[in-house]
Amino acid sequence: MARLDNGWLLSIFLVIVPNTKGYLAQQGGPPPPTRLECCIPYEEDSGVMVRSPIQCVWDPGPPSKTPSIYTLHLESADNSVQKFNGNSTNACIPPTLWSSHSELTVWVEAKNQHGSAFSPRSTFNTAKIMKSATPNITQHTLAPLEIYWESKCSKQGLSEGECKVRHRVLPGVCWAEVEEGFQGVYCLEKVLPYSWYEFQVRCSCLGSSLSDWSKVYKVKSPGAAPVGMLDVWSDCQLSPQSAECALMWKTPPGWNAGSEILRYEITLSHLNGMVTLVNVSMVDKASDQLTCDKKLCHPMAKDVTAVNVSAYTAYGATTPACLRIPLTAQYNRGEALQLSMSAERLLVSWNPPTGFINNQSKYVVQYKQAGLLKTPAQGFDWIRLDRTQINATLTGQFENYTAYQVALFLVSPYGASDHISSAVGYVHQGIPPKVPSFEVVKVKANSVKVIWTPILLPQRRGVIVCYQIGLDSQGVHNLSEHQGDKDRSFRLDDLEPSQNYEVWIRAITEAGPGPKSTATFKTEGFDFNPLFFLVIFFSFIPFLLIWKYSWVIKECIGFKKVPDPSNSHVFQKMNNQINFCIPVEEPDPVLSHLEIIKYKLAGGKIGHRGSQGAIGGLMDQGELAGEGNTASREDCYSKMTDSDEDRDDYEKHFLPTAMEIMCL
């Protein structure tokens, strides 16, 4: 591998070090100016062209931390050099130091405490740097729109060359420049009606450079029939039908109106089908129109459902602009807007809504100070955009700590508006004020309910992130701004009876928490009250007595269970001999008490006798044996029930009625 010996390294070091030091010294000095450009302007004094000093200009380069002094150097044909002080961009050479058709060389030096820098040298002939005299526009015509100017080349002893023209329509700021090739006259072909135009001309004489631009010449184009329609809107779009609102429209530009607007015609359609025509005169200022921050507005009745507005001029009228007024408040149906605000600018962006959108529909972005009941709302303005756009820039004067409500609408060609989204924005947010009202209600032994009045939107000074409620023995409860929207209430539980508490509430914005609103209360206790227990005790006594003597009550009111005779085993044994039919038509059958007596007759035959006559196989008393009969009497009792229970007990029977017996 090759190596450099110490001799080679020392030689390289000796070569590099001086160059490095020179570079560092130059960096500390001023930057070198650019090459100079010089000209000799001519000025007119009492109709005579006067030769002016040579004017040389340059670019000083990037700014330096240390101030520099600039000196213009002039070298004549005899190699003599003269110096002239100048500022950082230009310097002049007096007319006494040069003559016509002479060769001159110039350069500029920039110098400060760290060093000097020089511009490149420029050499020119004074006859070639003479600047043409500035022309003067003298007159114009309207149909067509032409301007005429006077060149001053002849006064300089030169032949007339070609000129350039530029123009603009107010209130525009950008000039439209037309290429050179004109001499004395220029015709503007496409002219907007009833608009102010500004013109300027610059010319070059043969053998000299271009002149400066002439003074601005203003012309107002002739009028024509108005075109298009007015930009009409209202502050009713986010309000219910019952709210006060106003109709507003913007004054059209002159080229759109075609000429001076004489009056506006407003057609109002009402809910009951009536139509009202209103004329707002711009000649007679004693009309009912209002001026609303460079816009025109008209108060609108609460029952108006649609409006049409046209502007009338001496040449005709604009196409009626239609706007429908919503009958109810409109709510968001899309995503929230993204806002960025400064003192003079509002930037709004959004995502396009889903679903079908008419190709002729347009967006309207409006803003106004939020929460104000004044009509029209203060700081109200809007802008109309093509439906393909997803952002907008609005200008205005926006105040700190003030809420601005921004809303996005999609408006159909027929004037129907659909509220897409809205948001509240601030230029700068501040700490919110105290909650205006905070009370304790429904105090109990272990809980309490608090209610409050929210801070109104115009007084919030920022977007409220949440409300905080705090209690001595508990932590802090964070409630969203919309939590408890229905009654603005909150219940605190797990409290101790008969205790004193202090509860507070405050609002919080992005700037921080606001001051607290406090309230004190004492929970209820469980004190012994003898009267209360006596009332409870005596209130239960009637119920106990009723329960204990319920059977007596049943007997008194005649509530007893009537058994079904068919369940008696006595009647069941007789079923083979007797068929009972109980007529269902009889509403109140009469049952009689029946006692069955068994007798043993002669011959071992057993007979039955009832106390109220014989039934079926019962024998009559005449068939019975005499008193000497040895027949024995056996009482058989069993309980006749609706079930088969207690068959072995004594039986108490109820004698069927005569009608039932006849059915045997």
Side-chain angles (χ1 to χ4, degrees):
M1 180 178 178
R3 311 181 33 188
L4 296 176
D5 57 19
N6 293 336
W8 277 101
L9 292 176
L10 182 59
S11 300
I12 294 173
F13 179 77
L14 291 175
V15 171
I16 292 177
V17 169
N19 291 343
T20 303
K21 288 183 179 180
Y23 175 77
L24 293 176
Q26 187 178 5
Q27 285 295 98
T34 61
R35 185 182 298 273
L36 279 66
E37 294 182 2
C38 300
C39 69
I40 306 173
Y42 271 78
E43 298 180 358
E44 186 174 1
D45 184 12
S46 301
V48 179
M49 301 304 298
V50 179
R51 189 174 66 176
S52 301
I54 296 177
Q55 295 182 356
C56 295
V57 296
W58 62 86
D59 184 357
S64 176
K65 295 182 180 179
T66 305
S68 299
I69 299 175
Y70 292 87
T71 304
L72 176 64
H73 296 254
L74 171 63
E75 183 179 28
S76 302
D78 57 358
N79 296 326
S80 62
V81 177
Q82 301 183 66
K83 299 179 180 180
F84 309 93
N85 292 329
N87 55 32
S88 60
T89 59
N90 63 81
C92 294
I93 302 175
T96 56
L97 299 180
W98 57 271
S99 61
S100 180
H101 297 82
S102 61
E103 294 286 335
L104 300 177
T105 302
V106 293
W107 68 93
V108 66
E109 176 189 10
K111 184 177 181 180
N112 62 17
Q113 60 184 4
H114 300 290
S116 299
F118 297 90
S119 69
R121 294 191 172 205
S122 297
T123 301
F124 51 82
N125 189 296
T126 56
K128 299 295 184 181
I129 64 170
M130 289 190 300
K131 197 168 188 178
S132 301
T134 304
N136 181 32
I137 302 177
T138 57
Q139 60 182 343
H140 72 277
T141 61
L142 294 177
L145 181 56
E146 291 182 341
I147 59 170
Y148 300 88
W149 65 88
E150 177 187 11
S151 172
K152 299 179 181 179
C153 294
S154 59
K155 294 183 179 181
Q156 292 181 251
L158 301 173
S159 300
E160 186 174 345
E162 295 182 341
C163 301
K164 289 184 176 181
V165 179
R166 67 180 184 180
H167 59 82
R168 64 184 176 185
V169 58
L170 298 179
V173 295
C174 297
W175 292 93
E177 188 167 333
V178 185
E179 292 297 330
E180 59 184 286
F182 304 98
Q183 291 184 342
V185 62
Y186 170 73
C187 178
L188 182 61
E189 296 180 354
K190 296 181 179 180
V191 181
L192 296 176
Y194 202 65
S195 301
W196 280 104
Y197 279 87
E198 290 184 341
F199 294 90
Q200 282 186 311
V201 179
R202 64 187 305 186
C203 299
S204 63
C205 302
L206 294 179
S208 62
S209 61
L210 277 170
S211 68
D212 293 329
W213 287 106
S214 66
K215 295 181 180 180
V216 173
Y217 188 84
K218 296 181 67 175
V219 179
K220 191 170 187 179
S221 61
V227 294
M229 61 180 63
L230 299 175
D231 187 359
V232 180
W233 196 242
S234 76
D235 60 351
C236 316
Q237 306 306 113
L238 288 179
S239 306
Q241 177 66 21
S242 59
E244 295 287 347
C245 56
L247 174 69
M248 288 187 280
W249 63 93
K250 296 181 180 180
T251 303
W255 62 266
N256 198 358
S259 63
E260 182 182 2
I261 296 178
L262 303 177
R263 63 183 178 91
Y264 292 96
E265 185 177 276
I266 307 172
T267 304
L268 304 174
S269 300
H270 299 267
L271 190 60
N272 58 5
M274 293 183 59
V275 177
T276 305
L277 185 62
V278 179
N279 282 303
V280 179
S281 174
M282 301 306 295
V283 178
D284 181 12
K285 297 301 182 181
S287 58
D288 295 333
Q289 83 272 11
L290 302 174
T291 301
C292 310
D293 191 20
K294 299 181 181 180
K295 295 174 288 293
L296 295 174
C297 57
H298 189 277
M300 195 155 46
K302 298 179 181 179
D303 64 339
V304 173
T305 59
V307 297
N308 287 275
V309 185
S310 298
Y312 281 80
T313 70
Y315 297 90
T318 60
T319 303
C322 178
L323 180 66
R324 299 189 180 276
I325 309 301
L327 296 178
T328 58
Q330 301 188 65
Y331 301 99
N332 294 2
R333 72 171 185 88
E335 299 181 9
L337 302 177
Q338 291 80 45
L339 307 181
S340 176
M341 297 186 69
S342 64
E344 297 179 350
R345 183 168 297 181
L346 167 62
L347 302 179
V348 187
S349 59
W350 62 88
N351 293 323
T354 58
F356 174 77
I357 299 178
N358 191 304
N359 291 335
Q360 296 181 343
S361 296
K362 292 184 178 295
Y363 286 121
V364 169
V365 181
Q366 75 168 42
Y367 72 86
K368 63 179 179 179
Q369 287 192 22
L372 298 181
L373 300 179
K374 179 182 177 181
T375 300
Q378 187 172 352
F380 183 86
D381 199 2
W382 72 94
I383 186 174
R384 209 171 285 264
L385 304 166
D386 187 79
R387 68 177 183 87
T388 59
Q389 294 188 236
I390 57 173
N391 53 67
T393 301
L394 296 94
T395 58
Q397 300 297 322
F398 302 105
E399 302 175 1
N400 293 335
Y401 318 123
T402 301
Y404 290 91
Q405 186 179 34
V406 184
L408 174 68
F409 298 88
L410 189 64
V411 183
S412 72
Y414 311 104
S417 62
D418 190 8
H419 181 205
I420 302 300
S421 187
S422 61
V424 174
Y426 292 82
V427 177
H428 292 293
Q429 299 192 43
I431 295 175
K434 290 178 63 175
V435 175
S437 176
F438 183 54
E439 300 180 30
V440 176
V441 297
K442 294 185 179 180
V443 179
K444 298 182 179 180
N446 299 111
S447 66
V448 68
K449 182 180 180 181
V450 295
I451 60 174
W452 68 93
T453 301
I455 303 172
L456 297 178
L457 191 55
Q459 285 82 44
R460 291 182 181 179
R461 296 172 59 84
V463 178
I464 293 182
V465 179
C466 68
Y467 285 95
Q468 283 187 339
I469 295 180
L471 193 65
D472 298 338
S473 60
Q474 298 183 357
V476 176
H477 303 273
N478 292 322
L479 309 178
S480 67
E481 181 192 359
H482 302 291
Q483 186 171 347
D485 260 346
K486 186 175 182 180
D487 56 357
R488 294 291 186 178
S489 63
F490 186 73
R491 195 178 75 173
L492 299 166
D493 297 316
D494 302 327
L495 305 181
E496 297 294 332
S498 303
Q499 293 292 325
N500 293 317
Y501 289 97
E502 181 179 82
V503 63
W504 53 265
I505 188 173
R506 66 182 177 184
I508 297 180
T509 64
E510 293 183 0
K516 298 177 180 178
S517 296
T518 60
T520 58
F521 65 93
K522 182 178 181 180
T523 54
E524 295 179 350
F526 292 121
D527 297 334
F528 178 76
N529 191 343
L531 180 61
F532 173 76
F533 288 99
L534 287 176
V535 171
I536 297 298
F537 175 75
F538 284 109
S539 64
F540 278 100
I541 290 179
F543 296 99
L544 294 173
L545 293 176
I546 292 173
W547 175 77
K548 185 174 182 180
Y549 296 100
S550 60
W551 64 274
V552 177
I553 298 173
K554 291 179 181 180
E555 290 293 336
C556 292
I557 64 177
F559 180 81
K560 58 174 66 180
K561 189 173 184 180
V562 179
D564 186 359
S566 64
N567 288 329
S568 170
H569 73 273
V570 175
F571 288 158
Q572 290 175 355
K573 290 179 181 180
M574 298 174 63
N575 273 343
N576 295 331
Q577 303 176 8
I578 304 172
N579 292 324
F580 289 92
C581 75
I582 301 176
V584 297
E585 291 82 359
E586 187 176 7
D588 297 315
V590 179
L591 299 179
S592 303
H593 186 272
L594 176 66
E595 184 179 4
I596 304 298
I597 303 176
K598 294 182 180 181
Y599 293 95
K600 290 183 180 181
L601 302 178
K605 192 175 181 180
I606 299 177
H608 300 77
R609 185 179 63 148
S611 61
Q612 296 186 18
I615 303 176
L618 295 179
M619 298 182 62
D620 198 323
Q621 293 182 8
E623 299 176 358
L624 296 176
E627 294 179 0
N629 287 340
T630 60
S632 63
R633 178 176 178 175
E634 180 181 357
D635 295 333
C636 297
Y637 295 95
S638 66
K639 187 175 183 180
M640 189 171 71
T641 65
D642 287 335
S643 64
D644 295 335
E645 296 177 352
D646 303 325
R647 295 278 184 170
D648 298 332
D649 296 338
Y650 69 92
E651 184 175 23
K652 180 180 291 186
H653 298 276
F654 295 89
L655 185 64
T657 63
M659 184 178 296
E660 292 173 338
I661 296 176
M662 293 298 295
C663 293
L664 295 177

